Amino acid sequence: MAELRIGGLVRLSTCDWPGELVATVFCQGCPWRCGYCHNQHLLPARGPDQLTWRDVVAFLETRRGLLDGVVFSGGEPTLQSDLPSAIAAVRALGFRVGLHTAGPYPERLARVLPVLDWIGFDVKAPFAEYDRITGVAGSGDSARASLELVLAHGVECDLRTTVHPDLLDQPALDRLSADLFALGAGRTRIQSFRDTGAKISIPPTTNAA
């Protein structure tokens, strides 16, 4: 059985996959450090209070026929090598599968794309300007490559961008729209940052892991 590191579980959500009733599994760990992140407790690779994947599967077995699907969120789900096994287990229970990702690992995303029904893709900024949001050098290149894979595959995708006024102004959003247009992508859905749990800062840039 998969050994997914889990930082939380929402047993019923109507907003994590628009139009679907889902359970949302919050995967522990993220390689990026966006200042407006409201899930700071999910950033470390391991958290203090974690459910076991076995517990999550046991819960999902009681919701067969009641929920439409399961969303893997985070953190960044593709950080974990056991994500494909976890997705396979969820599909074996009869659920559709959604994924929230920012695309830091294009090769890992490519492995699970064929078994996904929907993706919520977080577009952080114009691709050349990702570093000042994520604190990781080259993160925009990874995000662009991942989005290109998603668009080529044709899976249903919701593009969304979290905006903090100190990090993204209107000219930056215009440059972002131009980047998406160049890829043949649709418009991104703008959402304001939530200050609950956020630790606003512009992180120093580091090399990608």
Side-chain angles (χ1 to χ4, degrees), residues 76 78-81 83-84 99 101 103-114 116 121 141-150 209:
E76 171 54 51
T78 60
L79 174 70
Q80 298 197 41
S81 60
L83 179 64
L99 176 73
T101 185
Y105 301 110
E107 292 182 0
R108 300 181 191 180
L109 179 59
R111 293 189 201 112
V112 299
L113 269 175
L116 295 177
F121 195 100
D141 294 335
S142 298
R144 181 195 288 111
S146 289
L147 184 53
E148 288 173 342
L149 288 169
V150 170

Side-chain angles (χ1 to χ4, degrees), residues 7 23 35 39 47 50 65 77 83 114 122-123 128 189 194 202 207-208:
N39 283 334
Q50 295 190 40
L83 179 64
D122 293 315
V123 187
R189 178 166 55 86
R194 288 190 286 169
I202 299 177
N207 291 325

Side-chain angles (χ1 to χ4, degrees), residues 6 24 40 60 64 75 94 115 123 141 171 173 198 208:
I6 300 164
T24 304
Q40 295 281 328
L60 292 176
R64 299 170 77 171
V115 292
V123 187
D141 294 335
L173 290 174

Side-chain angles (χ1 to χ4, degrees), residues 1-3 16-17 19 25 33 47 73 77 80 82 84 101-102 108 111-112 121-122 127 137 139 142 158 162 178 200:
M1 179 175 284
E3 294 296 336
D16 287 317
W17 182 346
V25 178
R33 293 296 182 266
S73 188
Q80 298 197 41
D82 274 358
T101 185
R108 300 181 191 180
R111 293 189 201 112
V112 299
F121 195 100
D122 293 315
F127 294 117
S139 52
S142 298
D158 176 33
T162 299
I200 297 302

